[in-house]
Amino acid sequence: MTPVRVLVVGRGGREHVLAWRLAQDPEASEVLVAPGNDGMARSHRCIAVDESDSDGLIAACRSERIDLAVIGPEAPLAAGLADRLAAAGIAVYGPSADAARLESSKLFAKKNMLEAGIATAIGREFEQFEDAVAALSRFGPPWVLKVDGLAAGKGVLITRERKQAEEFLAACLLQDHFGVGGRRIVLEEFLEGEELSVMAVSDGARFTLLPAARDYKRALDGDQGPNTGGMGAYAPSPLLEPSLEDVVRGRVIAPILQRMEMLGTPFRGTLYAGLMLTPSGPMVLEFNGRFGDPESQAVLPLLHGSLTRLLLSAAQGALEPEVVQREPGAVVAVALVDEGYPDAVWAKGTIEGLEKLTGDPELMVFHAGTRWEEGRWQVRGGRAAYVVARAESSADARARVYRAIESLRGPGWRCRRDIAAPTGGVAAGSGLEARGGEGS
């Protein structure tokens, strides 16, 4: 295969693990990142072009002779970055703006799930505060409220307190807290079960599934506290047995891809399905149009083969699923976050000792909201970095990652202590939007 020059677009932990994994492929002659962060700059050349600067990214791709652009975050996808790059003749891995509506509009996703016969929670949309408040008695408690558009991982509330539900509705529909994306609200039925994240790499018609993951969205141990962009994850999830994987493949992923193709907007990229495993089978909580964060930090280290060839073949509409295989073992990823995350980010902490963790080949550090200042890693975003461990079992990987975290010092940061615990963080819920947020 001709050597491939790759550009990863983004600045968070997801983009760091993407660049790290792609750089392991012999086909990737160089992996650059735009704009990247100080942690990525230790091993990759970073280009000072923002994710939202389409013209700048096109110019960078041309000047750097980029063969494949991989778009990480959801906002540039929703804004049409993939369309702009493709129109400029650059192979791009990521869906068009029309296809990305599966993530950028809850209502679009819900409508097309129903049209495709995909099991999902019953929901209803509202634009008027009074109408939404009046409907609360028909949907809960508990209540599941979602803003229609992108909200950086904070556009979902699940609560048993009616006052809290009404305050969320007022913030969205009266106070414009989430901007345009929050001017429509979806009320959904509450689903009980266990959550599962499944990502599929698709060329618009065909697809291949990556190892399933379990992520943790709430800020505090035991799934307490507010919703966040994601506090950690582990993979593979033992919940996705082969028979259930066939169900997800045939009743979730294939139908929505066929639906998008029928609409004339084929989905090329990573289709992320957030699932609730209920007694009646898997139900879709949400679709996302890109690699999950923090799921990618747990899933990508489990892939053997050429991720570069897989993503390039998908971008070219000729998927080669056989070029990647699943490695045995397990991975646990834990987010190190600002102590006030997500509600009141202080952004003045320091994390000491991260450099010492990189000597172990089964231990990885992926940076998001950090900056190298005065000889130390400074916390400059909500989710600062991820400590990731790989081992033969989930229990061993969990022990390894928390042993590493215990060696770290410094004020102003924290983490959840129950990621991948046998019972920690497993709770009923519905539709918690964990994608995006600081550093993603």
Side-chain angles (χ1 to χ4, degrees):
M1 183 178 180
T2 304
V4 178
R5 293 177 57 78
V6 183
L7 176 68
V8 175
V9 177
R11 67 182 70 207
R14 166 186 48 228
E15 289 74 44
H16 195 173
V17 70
L18 274 166
W20 168 83
R21 180 57 188 81
L22 289 163
Q24 296 178 32
D25 298 335
E27 296 88 350
S29 59
E30 185 177 9
V31 178
L32 296 83
V33 187
N37 60 44
D38 287 358
M40 295 186 213
R42 295 294 180 94
S43 52
H44 303 280
R45 187 152 58 92
C46 294
I47 301 173
V49 180
D50 193 79
E51 308 98 311
S52 63
D53 184 358
S54 298
D55 291 335
L57 288 168
I58 290 171
C61 286
R62 287 173 171 163
S63 65
E64 294 289 347
R65 296 173 286 107
I66 294 300
D67 301 296
L68 173 65
V70 179
I71 303 173
E74 63 272 26
L77 289 169
L81 176 58
D83 306 79
R84 291 289 311 280
L85 291 172
I90 300 158
V92 55
Y93 182 80
S96 66
D98 284 342
R101 285 185 296 167
L102 284 174
E103 176 170 9
S104 63
S105 171
K106 302 287 191 302
L107 296 174
F108 177 84
K110 183 73 69 176
K111 175 180 181 295
N112 284 284
M113 279 188 262
L114 295 174
E115 291 287 344
I118 298 170
T120 186
I122 296 171
R124 185 180 170 192
E125 67 178 282
F126 295 91
E127 296 184 11
Q128 301 300 318
F129 173 74
E130 295 79 7
D131 294 340
V133 169
L136 287 175
S137 60
R138 301 197 298 275
F139 279 88
W143 289 281
V144 180
L145 304 93
K146 301 181 180 181
V147 304
D148 175 49
L150 299 178
K154 303 177 183 67
V156 174
L157 174 69
I158 299 176
T159 182
R160 295 180 181 274
E161 302 296 327
R162 185 181 179 98
K163 180 181 179 182
Q164 191 177 19
E166 292 183 0
E167 288 174 348
F168 184 83
L169 290 173
C172 296
L173 301 178
L174 298 180
Q175 300 161 17
D176 212 24
H177 181 74
F178 292 103
V180 175
R183 292 173 189 167
R184 287 195 296 184
I185 288 290
V186 179
L187 293 184
E188 282 191 358
E189 66 173 326
F190 179 83
L191 300 178
E192 293 193 32
E194 295 192 44
E195 290 192 53
L196 185 69
S197 303
V198 177
M199 294 184 284
V201 173
S202 173
D203 66 1
R206 293 161 295 179
F207 65 92
T208 186
L209 295 186
L210 303 183
R214 162 71 158 95
D215 75 323
Y216 294 73
K217 304 174 180 70
R218 295 295 185 108
L220 307 175
D221 289 1
D223 272 353
Q224 301 300 306
N227 192 42
T228 75
M231 296 295 295
Y234 70 89
S237 170
L239 297 175
L240 196 66
E241 300 175 346
S243 60
L244 183 57
E245 184 168 344
D246 288 340
V247 172
V248 172
R249 184 181 287 108
R251 298 184 187 176
V252 176
I253 304 299
I256 198 65
L257 290 176
Q258 291 164 4
R259 174 70 183 169
M260 297 304 291
E261 193 171 25
M262 188 191 76
L263 292 175
T265 57
F267 187 101
R268 287 186 180 177
T270 302
L271 177 65
Y272 173 110
L275 306 174
M276 182 68 77
L277 303 184
T278 73
S280 58
M283 299 184 72
V284 177
L285 299 173
E286 63 177 350
F287 282 123
N288 290 333
R290 33 71 191 192
F291 284 103
D293 186 353
E295 292 90 345
S296 296
Q297 288 86 313
V299 170
L300 295 185
L302 289 172
L303 298 183
H304 173 74
S306 177
L307 183 64
T308 300
R309 285 186 62 185
L310 182 70
L311 302 191
L312 181 60
S313 67
Q316 294 173 335
L319 188 69
E320 299 178 35
E322 71 282 354
V323 300
V324 164
Q325 303 84 39
R326 302 180 187 184
E327 288 270 19
V331 175
V332 175
V334 178
L336 311 182
V337 304
D338 183 283
E339 64 181 359
Y341 180 69
D343 293 330
V345 175
W346 184 43
K348 295 181 180 179
T350 61
I351 307 175
E352 300 171 13
L354 283 176
E355 297 293 287
K356 297 179 181 179
L357 303 184
T358 57
D360 185 343
E362 301 303 307
L363 200 60
M364 296 143 275
V365 175
F366 299 116
H367 288 259
T370 57
R371 188 176 303 161
W372 182 254
E373 293 179 350
E374 301 176 352
R376 295 185 295 179
W377 287 111
Q378 309 281 352
V379 176
R380 291 294 179 262
R383 289 187 288 175
Y386 300 84
V387 180
V388 180
R390 181 170 48 199
E392 291 185 2
S393 70
S394 175
D396 289 344
R398 182 176 189 275
R400 179 174 288 165
V401 78
Y402 280 112
R403 195 161 53 241
I405 290 172
E406 287 297 326
S407 72
L408 302 177
R409 297 291 181 266
W413 63 273
R414 64 178 181 85
C415 68
R416 275 185 63 159
R417 298 287 173 172
D418 63 345
I419 306 300
T423 57
V426 177
S430 178
L432 287 166
E433 183 187 58
R435 328 307 162 205
E438 293 85 356
S440 71

Short mmCIF file of all heavy atoms in Angstrom, two decimals, residues 14 67 89 191 240 306 312 371 433:
data_model
loop_
_atom_site.label_atom_id
_atom_site.label_comp_id
_atom_site.label_asym_id
_atom_site.label_seq_id
_atom_site.Cartn_x
_atom_site.Cartn_y
_atom_site.Cartn_z
N ARG A 14 -9.89 11.85 22.67
CA ARG A 14 -10.26 10.98 21.55
C ARG A 14 -9.29 11.15 20.39
O ARG A 14 -8.83 10.18 19.79
CB ARG A 14 -11.68 11.30 21.10
CG ARG A 14 -12.06 10.69 19.74
CD ARG A 14 -13.42 11.17 19.28
NE ARG A 14 -13.55 12.59 19.41
CZ ARG A 14 -14.61 13.19 19.98
NH1 ARG A 14 -15.61 12.49 20.44
NH2 ARG A 14 -14.66 14.51 20.06
N ASP A 67 -3.28 12.57 2.76
CA ASP A 67 -4.03 11.56 2.01
C ASP A 67 -5.35 11.20 2.69
O ASP A 67 -6.27 10.70 2.04
CB ASP A 67 -3.20 10.29 1.86
CG ASP A 67 -1.89 10.56 1.14
OD1 ASP A 67 -1.94 10.93 -0.04
OD2 ASP A 67 -0.82 10.39 1.77
N GLY A 89 -11.38 17.61 -2.73
CA GLY A 89 -10.64 16.47 -3.25
C GLY A 89 -9.81 15.73 -2.22
O GLY A 89 -8.91 14.96 -2.57
N LEU A 191 -36.05 4.47 30.58
CA LEU A 191 -35.79 3.06 30.33
C LEU A 191 -34.89 2.50 31.42
O LEU A 191 -33.95 3.17 31.87
CB LEU A 191 -35.11 2.86 28.97
CG LEU A 191 -35.86 3.34 27.74
CD1 LEU A 191 -35.02 3.11 26.49
CD2 LEU A 191 -37.20 2.63 27.61
N LEU A 240 -22.07 -7.77 25.64
CA LEU A 240 -22.35 -7.99 24.22
C LEU A 240 -21.86 -9.38 23.82
O LEU A 240 -20.81 -9.55 23.20
CB LEU A 240 -21.69 -6.92 23.35
CG LEU A 240 -22.23 -6.87 21.91
CD1 LEU A 240 -23.68 -6.42 21.90
CD2 LEU A 240 -21.39 -5.95 21.03
N SER A 306 -4.43 -2.75 10.69
CA SER A 306 -4.23 -1.39 10.20
C SER A 306 -5.51 -0.56 10.31
O SER A 306 -6.42 -0.69 9.49
CB SER A 306 -3.75 -1.41 8.75
OG SER A 306 -3.63 -0.08 8.26
N LEU A 312 -9.35 4.62 5.77
CA LEU A 312 -9.21 5.10 4.39
C LEU A 312 -10.15 4.35 3.46
O LEU A 312 -10.78 4.97 2.58
CB LEU A 312 -7.77 4.93 3.93
CG LEU A 312 -7.46 5.40 2.50
CD1 LEU A 312 -7.76 6.88 2.34
CD2 LEU A 312 -6.00 5.11 2.14
N ARG A 371 -2.05 21.66 29.69
CA ARG A 371 -1.04 22.52 29.06
C ARG A 371 0.26 22.37 29.84
O ARG A 371 0.26 22.31 31.07
CB ARG A 371 -1.50 23.98 29.07
CG ARG A 371 -0.60 24.91 28.26
CD ARG A 371 -1.17 26.31 28.22
NE ARG A 371 -2.52 26.33 27.67
CZ ARG A 371 -3.38 27.33 27.84
NH1 ARG A 371 -3.05 28.37 28.57
NH2 ARG A 371 -4.58 27.27 27.30
N GLU A 433 -26.45 11.89 27.62
CA GLU A 433 -25.60 12.26 26.49
C GLU A 433 -24.18 12.45 26.98
O GLU A 433 -23.86 13.41 27.67
CB GLU A 433 -26.11 13.57 25.87
CG GLU A 433 -25.32 13.98 24.66
CD GLU A 433 -25.75 15.34 24.20
OE1 GLU A 433 -25.69 16.30 24.96
OE2 GLU A 433 -26.11 15.45 23.02
#
